[in-house]
Amino acid sequence: MRTQVAIVGAGPAGLLLGQLLHKSGIDNVILERQTADYVLGRIRAGIIEQGTMALLDTACVGARLHQEGLAHDGTQICVGGTRHRIDFRALTGKNVVVYGQTEITRDLMDARRATQRTTIYEATDVSVHDWSSERPCVRFRQHGKEHEIFCDFVAGCDGYHGVCRQSVPPEAIREFERVYPFGWLGLLSDTPPVSEELIYIHHARGFSLCSMRSTTRSRYYLQCSLAEHAEEWPDARFWSELRLRLDVAANDRLVTGPSLEKSIAPLRSFVAEPMRFGRLFLAGDAAHIVPPTGAKGLNLAASDVNYLWLALVEYYQDKSVSGLDDYSARALARVWKAERFSWWMTNLLHVFPDSSGFDRKVQLAELDYLLNSQAAAAALAENYVGLPF
Ligand code: APR
Ligand code: PHB
């Protein structure tokens, strides 16, 4: 098999890159080790920055997002049982849209099917070869048969646990990581949200987040120990712990119901540098991970894909390699600013088990400064709505 760009991974990054390349007349094949249903089954945040929305529109997959997405002009920070609003619209002139990542993936999958481009699900034992030559290739097995795809470029969109980054020799890559000493216990329920906007809660018992997928489906998170297991949290225990962290008004509005999904996710900050190795390019979670506090993961995947798509179009249309040569530095400049913001918000809002009395006082001073300074609120707002692509 031969194609211009072989894309490993059919998550948001791989599907979005495939769609943009298709729109630009660049042939591409997507290889995914799971089934489409498995990919769709992932429950992930959907806070969409305007830059990401614009890119989805360019890819002609934004229609449902505009119809069903919930525009949020601000968010709430709750400290000491008192809520403070960060007004994105007033502080930045922008907003974000709440629209589950699952729905974005569904829209991208529907668009992919309509392109008639090749998408290979349940591709196992994927391996990447000869990316330093002009003829890289990707090998995989499917239904017990070995296959080979020769291509011009390989896009590693295969996430944190993917094969592409891990195929790079250790001496050619630098990794930077911070693992946080807690996790997020998430619950999804078909119950109305407690608030029209998200509520980020700083509480002595631990961080909590009240989010949503629609006006009838809510998503809640409780900071928990990494020693915990979701099975130890029956719904009743989750709801009673959440109530202990909610303010009075949210408690009054809370509607509980059976969990549709409940799981614990660890939190980490991670960046691999560079993001380009010859004709192998990393994008999205394959190159970096952010703690979910700042809701940056999907939006960073989108900005990486934007830079890589533009660089590939420039190569095929103008026979220029400057975009490809600039890709890693350009993507990493935005990645590190989002990593900083996500790290900052995580340190601001969580209880750190081993923090000193001084650390806790500084955290409270940081919150006090944020909630009483327009400049501090504007800094949070401009990072939350998304720095320019
Ligand atoms: N071969 C083929 N496919 C693979 C392999 C492999 N060896 N390893 C992983 N994959 C697939 C995974 O099954 C997954 O569908 O690559 C895809 C990677 O998708 P994501 O992990 O969703 O990463 P990305 O597309 O970069 O999207 C980033 O997802 O994890 C969230 O918070 C993150 O919102 C962000 C978004
Ligand atoms: C979510 O809805 O899952 C969500 C929203 C905002 C975040 C993290 C997760 O910061």
Side-chain angles (χ1 to χ4, degrees):
M1 196 185 309
R2 168 121 188 88
T3 187
Q4 289 173 295
V5 181
I7 299 170
V8 184
L15 288 167
L16 180 54
L17 179 61
Q19 182 64 10
L20 289 163
L21 291 174
H22 163 72
K23 286 293 186 185
S24 301
I26 298 170
D27 187 47
N28 62 91
V29 171
I30 298 179
L31 287 163
E32 167 58 51
R33 73 176 167 190
Q34 305 291 355
T35 64
D37 286 345
Y38 184 95
V39 174
L40 276 176
R42 295 177 180 137
I43 306 293
R44 285 177 182 156
I47 302 295
I48 314 302
E49 298 173 2
Q50 285 184 1
T52 302
M53 282 183 64
L55 193 62
L56 292 168
D57 285 338
T58 301
C60 301
V61 294
R64 206 158 64 97
L65 168 61
H66 289 286
Q67 285 165 6
E68 299 176 17
L70 302 173
H72 282 206
D73 284 347
T75 196
Q76 317 264 333
I77 310 273
C78 183
V79 181
T82 303
R83 269 194 245 170
H84 306 260
R85 185 165 187 264
I86 304 291
D87 189 337
F88 300 147
R89 177 66 66 188
L91 291 163
T92 70
K94 296 179 183 177
N95 65 5
V96 294
V97 172
V98 175
Y99 185 70
Q101 179 175 307
T102 303
E103 301 317 312
I104 289 189
T105 305
R106 195 189 313 280
D107 295 339
L108 285 164
M109 283 181 177
D110 291 346
R112 181 72 182 180
R113 264 193 296 278
T115 67
Q116 306 292 316
R117 298 276 185 194
T118 304
T119 310
I120 300 164
Y121 286 98
E122 298 180 273
T124 57
D125 302 324
V126 173
S127 58
V128 192
H129 307 270
D130 305 326
W131 59 77
S132 299
S133 77
E134 299 210 343
R135 271 171 58 85
C137 84
V138 180
R139 297 193 185 107
F140 67 97
R141 295 181 64 81
Q142 190 187 41
H143 308 322
K145 280 186 65 181
E146 185 82 28
H147 301 269
E148 198 166 42
I149 303 175
F150 289 97
C151 53
D152 298 331
F153 300 100
V154 180
C157 301
D158 49 346
Y160 179 72
H161 300 288
V163 66
C164 292
R165 187 187 73 249
Q166 299 186 58
S167 299
V168 176
E171 63 273 12
I173 195 165
R174 293 180 308 281
E175 297 185 351
F176 305 85
E177 184 170 55
R178 170 157 300 185
V179 177
Y180 297 90
F182 40 75
W184 279 17
L185 168 62
L187 180 144
L188 189 70
S189 58
D190 274 338
T191 56
V194 291
S195 161
E196 287 67 33
E197 294 178 333
L198 272 60
I199 310 175
Y200 289 83
I201 302 167
H202 176 275
H203 194 283
R205 297 181 67 88
F207 167 81
S208 185
L209 172 59
C210 302
S211 183
M212 64 196 77
R213 292 291 178 268
S214 69
T215 55
T216 59
R217 178 165 285 193
S218 295
R219 179 70 169 167
Y220 294 103
Y221 294 98
L222 296 174
Q223 175 185 343
C224 66
S225 155
L226 286 171
E228 307 254 17
H229 299 91
E231 305 77 66
E232 298 158 352
W233 285 83
D235 290 1
R237 183 187 175 196
F238 184 97
W239 294 122
S240 63
E241 180 60 33
L242 177 64
R243 283 195 179 280
L244 294 174
R245 303 185 191 184
L246 292 180
D247 60 82
V248 172
N251 253 299
D252 290 345
R253 286 189 60 175
L254 179 65
V255 176
T256 64
S259 57
L260 304 173
E261 188 270 347
K262 198 164 38 183
S263 56
I264 293 178
L267 277 69
R268 87 175 63 240
S269 299
F270 171 84
V271 180
E273 290 190 3
M275 290 171 57
R276 183 253 179 115
F277 309 89
R279 289 180 172 248
L280 169 63
F281 293 81
L282 303 181
D285 275 16
H288 42 73
I289 294 288
V290 283
T293 327
K296 291 295 151 206
L298 176 60
N299 295 294
L300 275 184
S303 51
D304 290 350
V305 164
N306 179 56
Y307 302 142
L308 185 53
W309 162 59
L310 292 173
L312 288 166
V313 168
E314 184 187 61
Y315 173 82
Y316 283 110
Q317 290 184 358
D318 308 337
K319 297 291 177 268
S320 163
V321 295
S322 62
L324 294 171
D325 291 346
D326 294 345
Y327 168 74
S328 182
R330 191 179 183 197
L332 284 168
R334 191 172 192 275
V335 164
W336 275 111
K337 288 195 274 287
E339 288 284 348
R340 181 212 63 84
F341 173 67
S342 304
W343 163 84
W344 172 79
M345 253 186 111
T346 303
N347 279 279
L348 178 73
L349 292 167
H350 289 76
V351 172
F352 282 71
D354 301 330
S355 64
S356 66
F358 178 84
D359 296 337
R360 287 193 292 277
K361 293 295 276 184
V362 164
Q363 185 186 62
L364 290 173
E366 181 85 30
L367 283 163
D368 184 20
Y369 173 56
L370 169 66
L371 301 177
N372 292 285
S373 156
Q374 182 159 354
L380 184 154
E382 78 167 345
N383 280 279
Y384 196 96
V385 300
L387 297 178
F389 273 23

